[in-house]
Amino acid sequence: MAVLVTGGAGYIGSHTAVVLHEAGRDVVVLDDLSNSSPAAVDALRALTRPDLPFVEADAADVDAVGRAIADHGVDEVVHFAAFKSVSGSIADPDGYHRNNVGSTVGVVEAMRHNGVSRMVFSSSCTVYGEPTDLPVTEDSPISASNPYGATKVACEELLAAEAEAGGLDVLLLRYFNPVGAHASGDLGEDPRGTPDNLVPYLMQVAVGRRESLSVFGDDYDTPDGSAIRDYIHVVDLAEGHLAALDALAADRGSRGCTAVNLGTGTGYSVLDVLAAAGRVIGRPVPHQVVGRRDGDIQRIWADPSLAADLLGWRAGRGLDEMLADHWRWQQRHPDGYAAT
Ligand code: UFG
C-alpha cells in the first residue's frame, strides 16, 4: 500500500515525502509543477530512492489522480497541492478558488471512486484571521482575512461535509509559519520571484541576492512593536503528517473530520527572528523598518496541545535550528533549485 502526496514537489510536500519514505511508507508524488521545479523532484529522489514514483498532473484532474491511486495501490492521501501566496490571492481570487478548492474536489472524487478514505489535509492558521484570544485552539473562531484564507476555509468546510456524509476520515492540519530546510541542505524552499515570506526574503538578503529586508511595521501592540508568529521547523511539520497518518490508520479518535494545530506554542517577533538570524549567520542582516503590510495580523501562536494528545506529536526544533538549516540550504543553493 502507498501514500499519495499531492503537491509533493513543493516546500512542505517534499519534506513530508522524505519523512514518510524514511518511516517506511511507499510514497507516490503527484504535482503539476506549476509552482515547483523538476529539480525539486530530483532532490527528493536523491534523498529517498531514484525511482520514487512521480506523476506530473493537476490534482483537480480526477482521472489522473484516480489512475495514480489505482496504479500504485494508494490507500491514504496527503493533500498539499494548492497556491499559497496571500498577495497572489488578492490579485487573482477566482484563480485561487479554482485551483485550491478545485484540486480538493478532484482529490476527494478520485479517492471516493477508488475506495480510499484516509486523508490528511494541508490547512493553515490563516483560518483564524486576527485572533482575539491567544494561544489559538482548534475551537477559536474561524474568519478568513484574504482570498487565500477563504480557500482554506472552503476546503475545510467541504471536507467536513464529506466526512459527515460518510466515506472520508480527514485530519485538517492547521500549520503555523513553516521555516527551515532538510538537514542535508539539499531540499528547501525555493520561491519563484520575490519572496513573500519573512525567512526566504531574509536569507536572500543574507546570501547577497537582495539588498535589505523590509520589516513591515514596528508599531504593533507587541513588546518590540513588530508582529509575532509561531515559526515551526518544516521537518517538525513533516513529522506531524506522519503522526497524523498513523493516527488515522490506527483510528485513534480520528474518525470523521478533526482540525489540529501544528505549531510550537511559542511566538517570536520579526525583530526576534532578525536577531536570531544574525547570530546564526554570524553577521547582522541589513534591514529597515517600513510601514505595515496590508492584510497582516499582529499576533498569533498556537495551542499545540491537541496535536500532542491526539497524534502524540510535538515540535522539537527551536528557532536557531530552523534558521541554521534554512541558511545551509540557502548557502548551498543560493539561486534555489535553478542552479542545481
Ligand atoms: N515580514 C516582514 N518582511 C518581509 C516579509 C514578512 O517584516 O519581507 C513580516 C510580516 O509582516 C509578518 C511576518 O514577517 O509579520 C511573517 O510574515 P510571512 O509572510 O512570513 O508569514 P505570514 O504570517 O504573513 O503568512 C503565513 C503564510 C500564509 C498563511 C499565514 C497564516 O505565508 O500562507 O501565515 O497566518 F496564510
Side-chain angles (χ1 to χ4, degrees), residues 3 5 65 71 77 86 110 138 189 215 229 231 254 288 316 332:
V3 53
V5 181
V65 177
D71 289 352
V77 175
V86 171
E138 291 77 3
E189 184 166 17
V215 173
R229 299 288 185 274
Y231 296 93
S254 47
Q288 76 284 339
R332 285 174 63 81

Side-chain angles (χ1 to χ4, degrees), residues 164-254:
E164 183 74 32
L168 191 69
D169 292 313
V170 52
L171 286 168
L172 309 169
L173 301 184
R174 293 176 178 160
Y175 316 147
F176 286 70
N177 288 53
V179 299
H182 188 266
S184 64
D186 287 332
L187 198 64
E189 184 166 17
D190 183 19
R192 289 198 176 168
T194 309
D196 272 338
N197 298 118
L198 175 62
V199 172
Y201 200 107
L202 181 162
M203 292 293 167
Q204 290 194 6
V205 172
V207 85
R209 274 176 72 180
R210 297 184 191 275
E211 269 187 16
S212 174
L213 175 81
S214 295
V215 173
F216 296 137
D218 67 351
D219 57 351
Y220 285 109
D221 180 19
T222 61
D224 66 21
S226 65
I228 294 178
R229 299 288 185 274
D230 184 338
Y231 296 93
I232 176 169
H233 197 296
V234 67
V235 176
D236 276 324
L237 199 56
E239 289 169 357
H241 292 73
L242 172 63
L245 287 173
D246 285 346
L248 284 173
D251 190 19
R252 288 202 302 267
S254 47

